[in-house]
Amino acid sequence: MVAAVDLALPPSGLEHEYNTLLTQDAVRFLAELVSTFDLDVDKILQQRIARKVQLDLTNDLPDFSPHTLHIRKDKTWKVLPVPRRLQNRQVDIGDTAPYQTERFLSALGSTAQGIQVDFDDGNCPTFFNQIKGIYNIFQAVHHKFPGIPPISQAPVLMLRPRAWNMVEHNMMVNGKQVPGPLFDYGLLMFHVGKTLYDNESGPFFYLSKVESYQEARLWNNIFVWTQEKLNMPIGTIKATVLIESILASFEMEEILYELKDHSAGLNCGIWDYSASFVSKFGHRAEFLLPDRSKYVNMEKLFLKSYMDLLVQTCHRRGALATGGMAALLLPKDQKSDGYQSVLAAVKRLKLFEIKAGVDGFMVYDIGLVEPMQKLFKEHTRGPNQLHVIPEGVNVTATQLLAMPAGGVTLHGLKYNIAVGVLFIYSWLKGEGHFYYRGQVEDSATAEISRSQVWQWIRHRAKLEDDERMVVSRSLVHSLVKEMKNELQDCYCLSERAEQLLHTATEIFLEIVQKKDFPEFITTYLNLDHTFLVSSSYNHSFRSTAVVAIHSTAQTKSRL
């Protein structure tokens, strides 16, 4: 078997990092991984499209499948117990893009139980960021950073590769760009998998945007293949699946079942999950989602039911259930009223999740780690809440699909526009998250923001502030112009930055006016506007010599 591999040249300034990671053996391993599973990845993406078409054509709603009833009814199976270092998942630091060395090192030196090492929602996947990020993980695992504890004593690395909707433009196998998650996962496993295992610290993963048990099965097959290739025991790899799609919420037990030898549990968030309602049903008026800044939170029935079902499902099967990320940022002055107000708000939201039975959650601000650990200590016993199985909880499809009451406000519309524009602006600069009005924003909040604007235009939603006004194309255009002027004063310190912000506003308007809803903002930017990222951040896509991988002869030749 011969796999033809075409790799881009190193990002400028990262020649050493590139050559350390993309060795002959590593490239061979990646090529074999991609060649083995690429058609399966295509199949699950095609199945997503087919499912959406079927829902649209029939106007049906999802439900718990009768075809997998035997899995849900069988009370005997459980996931394998997690290793010692995963038994306490109380506080992880979220949105830690590893190319940001300073933040990554701060997280490694913290008292958090874990770090969400993020190549997805909080990361912009330029080639520079991917190579720098994976290299920083390599350095951390091999104890190359001075003053940082060895990996066996540092917070657990929960490695989060890109989701299936993303591709890696800088590597081709057999004339085809490779799936982004396989590039990330493959390089990580090849370079740090065995070392993490030897130190009882992994390898552990977060799996983003899984929509079905078939996708979980694919990941399980990838794990088995990898462990066999690297001579690691089956069951070594553990993964937490993020339930970020309304469709996946109907298949939680099946997802755990498919990954039962490799499961580290399930995770529930709020914004990607809420945005999935618009993605799947946004054209239907009965699924009009109200202003998220006023009417959407985890206490609403559709989100509370989702969290209750996730906790119940996980704990019945011996799996850990974790919550989403607190995005609020603490003011620097710990004695200020603002600091106490933010801390109180985070405590209230996270105590709600603790009382629901979650075993842990994430914070972005490292300063929140110890207060949240204290909150767990005050309200729980032991390292987790696996013993807490909510009784009397019988979540129905109707509850999972119940849209909250509420309308649309002018403030909410402006806020969504600002977040959507600023995310695109950050992306064009090569950044995956940014700060706005006292909290961190990433692709998850950008998804819900642009989704709501698209949906409100589509259904000409009335404004609560003045019911004579509806959300229209012309209103959004005028507000985008207004917000652009406001944001320019705060975020643009150069003419180049102003140009990027202008481009971001144009792309945002393009997205929210599309006849057909673009499924993921990151896919749209990664595929349709790749040239903008490369030109703005100087990460040009350059062709290189072809590398032929002869898996039987175990050689690599550059032609």
Side-chain angles (χ1 to χ4, degrees), residues 1 3 5 26-36 171 173 549:
M1 173 185 173
V5 177
V27 171
R28 180 184 300 114
F29 177 80
L30 274 179
E32 290 187 39
L33 175 67
V34 171
S35 297
T36 303
M171 182 178 185
V173 173
I549 306 296

Side-chain angles (χ1 to χ4, degrees), residues 385-423:
Q385 298 199 84
L386 280 171
H387 58 282
V388 176
I389 301 177
E391 299 299 332
V393 173
N394 184 25
V395 175
T396 66
T398 300
Q399 291 171 325
L400 288 171
L401 295 167
M403 286 292 91
V408 178
T409 68
L410 185 61
H411 165 79
L413 179 56
K414 287 182 176 181
Y415 193 91
N416 280 341
I417 289 170
V419 170
V421 168
L422 283 175
F423 175 76

Side-chain angles (χ1 to χ4, degrees), residues 239-291:
T240 296
V241 174
L242 292 97
I243 303 298
E244 299 172 293
S245 167
I246 176 58
L247 301 184
S249 68
F250 289 93
E251 300 186 17
M252 292 185 197
E253 292 205 67
E254 293 89 335
I255 288 169
L256 284 178
Y257 182 80
E258 294 295 340
L259 283 161
K260 60 181 181 292
D261 291 345
H262 298 102
S263 179
L266 304 177
N267 173 273
C268 62
I270 180 171
W271 297 128
D272 270 324
Y273 184 77
S274 297
S276 76
F277 281 78
V278 182
S279 174
K280 304 304 180 187
F281 318 118
H283 59 291
R284 307 187 198 186
E286 64 269 28
F287 282 96
L288 183 67
L289 193 64
D291 187 342

Side-chain angles (χ1 to χ4, degrees), residues 101 104-105 108 135-149:
T101 307
F104 183 49
L105 294 183
L108 284 168
Y135 182 77
N136 276 347
I137 295 167
F138 175 87
Q139 292 287 89
V141 171
H142 292 94
H143 203 204
K144 301 292 187 181
F145 285 121
I148 298 301

Side-chain angles (χ1 to χ4, degrees), residues 129-203:
N129 290 353
Q130 300 307 103
I131 297 299
K132 181 68 172 177
I134 295 171
Y135 182 77
N136 276 347
I137 295 167
F138 175 87
Q139 292 287 89
V141 171
H142 292 94
H143 203 204
K144 301 292 187 181
F145 285 121
I148 298 301
I151 203 64
S152 60
Q153 299 171 25
V156 168
L157 301 184
M158 298 298 299
L159 306 168
R160 185 185 187 185
R162 281 169 282 184
W164 289 126
N165 56 295
M166 302 297 282
V167 299
E168 176 52 61
H169 300 291
N170 296 281
M171 182 178 185
M172 301 180 81
V173 173
N174 295 328
K176 184 179 174 185
Q177 291 177 340
V178 306
L182 292 186
F183 181 87
D184 304 339
Y185 165 84
L187 276 182
L188 289 166
M189 280 302 302
F190 184 83
H191 286 292
V192 304
K194 293 187 78 170
T195 304
L196 287 170
Y197 174 67
D198 291 341
N199 284 274
E200 298 183 15
S201 299

